Amino acid sequence: MESQDLRNAGLKVTAPRLKMLELFEKAQDRHLTAEAIYRHLLDAGEEIGLATVYRALTQFEAAGLVTRHHFEGGHAVFELERGPHHDHIVCVHCGRVEEFYDESIEKRQRAIAEKLGFNLRDHTLTLYGECNKPGCKGEKNAR
Amino acid sequence: MESQDLRNAGLKVTAPRLKMLELFEKAQDRHLTAEAIYRHLLDAGEEIGLATVYRALTQFEAAGLVTRHHFEGGHAVFELERGPHHDHIVCVHCGRVEEFYDESIEKRQRAIAEKLGFNLRDHTLTLYGECNKPGCKGEKNAR
DNA sequence: ATGTATGCAAAACATTTGCACCTGG
DNA sequence: CCAGGTGCAAATGTTTTGCATACAT
């Protein structure tokens, strides 16, 4: 139950927060912008403010419920923190996001950080490429 | 000579552009924000506008002279495109940036993209950690 | 009740753009 | 000379904040 996630994070269980978590659960695309969340909820007839979305996302992130990504494009993208760590590959044409995990890369990262005298805390690895999905080829999201 | 870089890029050789390139060359920190470049040049007595800095950076990037990074923090960071590709490790306390290159990681990335049906175009890998430099330990750049 | 959350509007940033004036080739 | 470049100010887009009201516990 999402209410429990919120309580565990020391946050009050409110309608906007629950709606946001539900949206993350059922959305086809696991990677959402604040604006997208706001619109989806408005369209679904919910009464919510954009500021609330941002505030909740920041709190969710602090609580580890959600991860904030800075892909290209000037806006942050949020993703529900379900399951184990993974990195991303983003289609430069249609914006589609796939996830992957590669233990050998993770291992090398740890070795590199150690060699350079850093105590590794986190990392971001994002690949950018052209996906081969039908209907993609640079139609949507034309930069 | 930097003038030649500009001419090769089809850009006119102007004072602001030369000053910016010079700054990149001599700056101790190879990774600069637009704002930082603007301030440095102003402090050095140059007459320059922030808009010009942004315009030039965008052109430099298009010409491959410079790379734009999106580290954490809401602002872009620019780096002179000298030498071969590399990735970054950033100190979460003092913001210090180190560069590294790891062929086995590069190799794995290519394999992953191929497996997922993407034509790899680019990637970003940034590690975040605590560096062991004297005088760091979270004094400056406290978030 | 009471400390948190919320919505709205205004503010704060980073970045871009319109425009009249300059300038390199 | 004149297309391209520049500075300034205003516009943009995203995210944050102030404040009075509403709600969870």
Side-chain angles (χ1 to χ4, degrees), chain A residues 28-74:
Chain A
Q28 57 301 354
D29 189 346
R30 297 171 26 78
H31 306 81
L32 304 170
T33 67
E35 187 71 27
I37 295 169
Y38 176 59
R39 284 198 204 292
H40 279 221
L41 292 181
L42 275 193
D43 292 354
E46 302 300 331
E47 186 177 287
I48 195 170
L50 184 53
T52 301
V53 173
Y54 275 106
R55 272 186 289 236
L57 285 172
T58 302
Q59 291 164 322
F60 291 176
E61 186 192 19
L65 285 175
V66 140
T67 309
R68 184 190 304 248
H69 300 291
H70 292 79
F71 299 155
E72 320 211 323

Side-chain angles (χ1 to χ4, degrees), chain B residues 22-95:
Chain B
E22 280 171 23
L23 178 56
F24 269 116
E25 301 278 9
K26 64 175 158 229
Q28 57 300 356
D29 189 348
R30 297 170 27 77
H31 306 82
L32 303 171
T33 66
E35 188 71 27
I37 295 169
Y38 176 58
R39 285 199 204 290
H40 280 221
L41 292 181
L42 275 193
D43 291 355
E46 302 300 331
E47 186 176 285
I48 196 170
L50 183 53
T52 301
V53 173
Y54 275 107
R55 273 186 290 235
L57 285 172
T58 302
Q59 292 164 322
F60 291 176
E61 185 191 19
L65 286 175
V66 140
T67 309
R68 182 190 305 247
H69 299 291
H70 293 78
F71 299 155
E72 321 212 319
H75 49 259
V77 175
F78 298 83
E79 168 188 18
L80 203 55
E81 193 56 78
R82 280 278 186 275
H85 162 75
H86 55 257
D87 295 303
H88 300 87
I89 182 163
V90 183
C91 176
V92 296
H93 291 311
C94 65

Side-chain angles (χ1 to χ4, degrees), chain A residues 102-117:
Chain A
D102 188 273
E103 177 54 29
S104 67
I105 289 182
E106 303 288 326
K107 206 170 293 178
R108 290 297 302 146
Q109 291 180 356
R110 292 192 286 269
I112 290 163
E114 185 175 1
K115 184 172 55 182
L116 296 178

